[in-house]
Amino acid sequence: MDNVKLTQDENLSIRVAYKLLPSDQQRLDLYFSIPEEMGINAKTLSEEQYFHHSIQCQSAYYSDQLHVPLVRSRFISQKKGEQSDYRLNLNLYSYQIHTALDTDIKQTIKLKDPKAFYPHAIELAEQTSGLLKKLRRYTPSDQKLRAYFENADNYLSWQVEQSFLKLLSRAPKSSDFASEHQFLIGLCRRENQYRKENQYNSSVTLSDPNRITNKMRLLQRLIEYGVVFQKQVKSLNSYLNRLVKGTVTAIIMAFVMLLVLNARTNFTEVTIALVGMLGVIYGLREIFKEDITRLIWRRIQKGLPKWRLLYSHSVTKSKVARQTIWLEYISSKDLPTQIDKVFQTRRQQNKQAAKLLHFRSETKVNAKSFLPGYDEIQQRIYFNLTPFVRFLRKGEGRLYSLENQKITKQAVERRYQINVVMMHTNKAREQQIQRFKLTLNRSNIINIEAIDTPKDIEPKKTSAAPDRETP
């Protein structure tokens, strides 16, 4: 899928990213097929709990051309613009370098063959060095602008060193690439020496790993200012939820009062039997009230959006985009026909009993134009799969084999597979469908495999009316 990408983020998390244009509107649907043996359902992991603890949404400016904001920052630095403009464009450039480096490092680590790993790492190091040289080609003379520059330069230099040290720590062992290994080591040493020469960090800070790490986290947040939009989360249907609870309570209380009045007429005096009957009536009320309320609420809430995310610019405070979120467990009969056909293309042994979790996001861009040089914003959604594996069995299995007259055994890990079908709908209601197989164990995602969608299933355009939405 060209418009949207699903990739691995951390050990047990995935990331879905797509781009948005001014006044754009896009819809993303993810259908998770979670094997029942993983123990995930509405009782063990509620939709609200998973959303607030394991799903993160982020929206920020994006550009394929990294040099654009830097060119503009040089223009502004010549006192032809405002200081806030210089900071904003500097942050845009720094954020793009940080994001691109983080993505490329993760992709390079996955290469286990030294012949593929080291040439790719060298190319990445040369590109990174070139981007840093462009950044450092001009150092503003104004003290306020210089402070912004030093913060960004300090963070990027440290991040580059840490990224390539992490890359080298996980590099495949090979004596044939000693020169390439030394080249990458040299890059890390040069960046370390560069920060010392510019006295970016005090000796006290450098001597304490916690202090230097926390300082760099602060600098990272500073370069995100004006780039990553501020997010406000609103829970929808809260008043409807209160109305349902109040209505159910009123009905149950009316029924209880009817029983109490009938019991009082049958017992002319206060007796132990009357007290016991009243206790039973009120006990039953407490037992069934929550269950009935939960059942009715799930029925009413089915198909309704649950959260709305409002994105605004950090500087101007103007509204940039609005994102509406749906998240609920569904049954197989609730699957759209096209999605059901995609799931049916699995091999027979993979069609095991599973719970279906549906995530839907509709994003609408309010802004009619973006900052100069930026025609797109990037929407990112992170899904942490750690709650999915907390009930999995620990330990490893054993595989026994017979070689001649000797019995050997090998340790094998238990792996599980989650199928994810992703459907993306753009403003013209053109759809793309893609299925992914996520193979994972208790500690990390082993592999993400994109499965080709049959041509007779892949939709080209839909004219279906949009689902109802709570204002």
Side-chain angles (χ1 to χ4, degrees):
M1 301 177 72
D2 299 331
N3 297 332
V4 57
K5 295 182 180 180
L6 187 150
T7 57
Q8 183 175 352
D9 181 49
E10 298 294 342
N11 290 342
L12 273 172
S13 64
I14 59 176
R15 179 185 64 194
V16 179
Y18 54 96
K19 302 170 187 176
L20 295 160
L21 300 173
S23 302
D24 199 357
Q25 185 172 359
Q26 297 186 25
R27 168 178 166 178
L28 178 70
D29 289 272
L30 290 176
Y31 296 87
F32 293 86
S33 178
I34 309 171
E36 286 193 354
E37 62 177 323
M38 299 181 73
I40 302 300
N41 52 57
K43 293 182 180 179
T44 59
L45 181 65
S46 67
E47 297 94 330
E48 290 77 12
Q49 180 183 359
Y50 185 63
F51 173 79
H52 289 295
H53 294 93
S54 302
I55 297 180
Q56 293 185 358
C57 301
Q58 186 184 73
S59 187
Y61 281 121
Y62 180 83
S63 175
D64 291 325
Q65 304 296 326
L66 284 174
H67 66 276
V68 172
L70 184 62
V71 172
R72 178 168 168 77
S73 68
R74 289 176 182 166
F75 173 79
I76 293 176
S77 67
Q78 298 173 4
K79 296 185 179 180
K80 295 181 180 179
E82 298 294 334
Q83 292 181 353
S84 60
D85 294 334
Y86 172 82
R87 180 186 182 185
L88 179 59
N89 286 276
L90 178 67
N91 287 352
L92 283 167
Y93 185 75
S94 303
Y95 178 80
Q96 290 293 107
I97 294 179
H98 161 73
T99 303
L101 179 63
D102 182 61
T103 301
D104 292 340
I105 288 292
K106 291 177 180 178
Q107 295 298 324
T108 307
I109 289 176
K110 294 180 181 179
L111 301 176
K112 303 302 180 183
D113 184 6
K115 294 181 179 179
F117 176 88
Y118 283 100
H120 195 277
I122 294 298
E123 181 182 2
L124 178 59
E126 292 175 347
Q127 291 175 348
T128 304
S129 299
L131 292 173
L132 291 178
K133 287 180 180 179
K134 289 182 180 180
L135 175 68
R136 296 163 182 169
R137 193 169 296 167
Y138 171 80
T139 303
S141 56
D142 187 280
Q143 290 300 320
K144 291 184 178 180
L145 299 183
R146 187 181 181 87
Y148 298 143
F149 170 82
E150 290 180 351
N151 287 337
D153 191 29
N154 186 13
Y155 172 75
L156 288 178
S157 175
W158 182 84
Q159 184 64 27
V160 167
E161 180 192 8
Q162 291 297 309
S163 297
F164 281 96
L165 288 177
K166 176 182 177 181
L167 184 67
L168 288 171
S169 68
R170 301 187 182 183
K173 306 299 181 181
S174 176
S175 58
D176 298 333
F177 296 92
S179 59
E180 287 81 355
H181 188 276
Q182 289 301 319
F183 179 84
L184 298 175
I185 289 291
L187 172 62
C188 298
R189 288 175 175 171
R190 287 195 300 273
E191 290 303 320
N192 188 289
Q193 183 63 29
Y194 174 81
R195 296 194 304 277
K196 290 182 179 179
E197 292 176 354
N198 287 274
Q199 299 180 352
Y200 281 158
N201 307 295
S202 66
S203 57
V204 177
T205 302
L206 292 173
S207 62
D208 189 346
N210 294 318
R211 292 189 62 172
I212 186 63
T213 303
N214 290 329
K215 178 179 179 179
M216 293 304 165
R217 288 175 180 172
L218 173 61
L219 296 183
Q220 180 183 354
R221 290 195 294 269
L222 290 178
I223 69 169
E224 291 178 351
Y225 177 79
V227 182
V228 178
F229 302 134
Q230 291 182 341
K231 181 177 64 176
Q232 181 183 3
V233 182
K234 291 185 177 182
S235 296
L236 302 178
N237 308 321
S238 57
Y239 292 105
L240 181 60
N241 188 11
R242 295 175 185 176
L243 178 61
V244 171
K245 289 182 178 180
T247 303
V248 172
T249 302
I251 294 175
I252 292 179
M253 283 301 300
F255 180 71
V256 168
M257 289 303 300
L258 180 62
L259 294 179
V260 170
L261 292 176
N262 289 335
R264 186 67 183 88
T265 56
N266 294 330
F267 294 89
T268 56
E269 297 180 359
V270 178
T271 61
I272 296 178
L274 175 60
V275 174
M277 182 174 294
L278 293 177
V280 171
I281 292 173
Y282 281 102
L284 292 175
R285 183 199 70 170
E286 294 300 322
I287 292 175
F288 292 107
K289 185 180 72 172
E290 294 296 331
D291 294 337
I292 294 175
T293 303
R294 188 182 304 110
L295 178 62
I296 294 177
W297 175 240
R298 291 192 69 87
R299 294 269 184 156
I300 294 176
Q301 195 184 29
K302 185 177 180 180
L304 293 178
K306 294 187 177 181
W307 300 278
R308 176 161 296 154
L309 281 62
L310 303 176
Y311 296 98
S312 59
H313 196 277
S314 305
V315 180
T316 63
K317 306 301 179 182
S318 60
K319 296 292 186 294
V320 179
R322 181 186 69 184
Q323 184 180 18
T324 308
I325 302 292
W326 287 254
L327 183 65
E328 62 182 346
Y329 291 95
I330 61 175
S331 60
S332 57
K333 64 180 181 181
D334 296 325
L335 286 173
T337 304
Q338 296 164 339
I339 304 299
D340 187 47
K341 288 182 179 179
V342 174
F343 276 122
Q344 294 303 323
T345 59
R346 294 176 294 173
R347 294 180 179 179
Q348 189 62 36
Q349 67 267 24
N350 294 330
K351 296 179 182 179
Q352 55 184 323
K355 289 292 183 182
L356 295 172
L357 180 63
H358 176 214
F359 171 89
R360 174 182 163 191
S361 167
E362 281 192 1
T363 306
K364 183 178 181 181
V365 181
N366 299 329
K368 296 182 179 180
S369 61
F370 299 144
L371 292 179
Y374 290 85
D375 300 325
E376 299 173 327
I377 61 176
Q378 187 180 59
Q379 186 74 38
R380 292 186 174 190
I381 307 175
Y382 299 86
F383 296 88
N384 191 340
L385 305 184
T386 303
F388 290 175
V389 302
R390 61 180 177 177
F391 299 117
L392 299 184
R393 296 174 60 186
K394 297 181 180 180
E396 297 178 341
R398 295 290 185 270
L399 176 65
Y400 296 89
S401 60
L402 181 62
E403 297 180 1
N404 297 327
Q405 298 297 322
K406 184 179 180 181
I407 299 177
T408 61
K409 64 178 181 179
Q410 293 178 316
V412 293
E413 63 180 0
R414 294 187 177 94
R415 294 184 177 182
Y416 301 81
Q417 189 177 97
I418 296 177
N419 277 271
V420 180
V421 176
M422 180 170 63
M423 181 172 67
H424 178 258
T425 309
N426 61 16
K427 189 175 183 180
R429 295 201 173 277
E430 297 174 343
Q431 292 184 338
Q432 289 180 301
I433 297 179
Q434 179 72 65
R435 179 166 71 93
F436 296 89
K437 288 197 303 184
L438 277 59
T439 304
L440 67 161
N441 56 23
R442 282 184 58 88
S443 57
N444 63 340
I445 297 175
I446 306 299
N447 184 39
I448 298 179
E449 181 183 0
I451 308 299
D452 293 334
T453 304
K455 294 183 179 180
D456 60 334
I457 296 178
E458 180 70 27
K460 295 182 180 180
K461 191 170 183 179
T462 178
S463 57
D467 293 339
R468 55 179 175 167
E469 179 178 329
T470 301

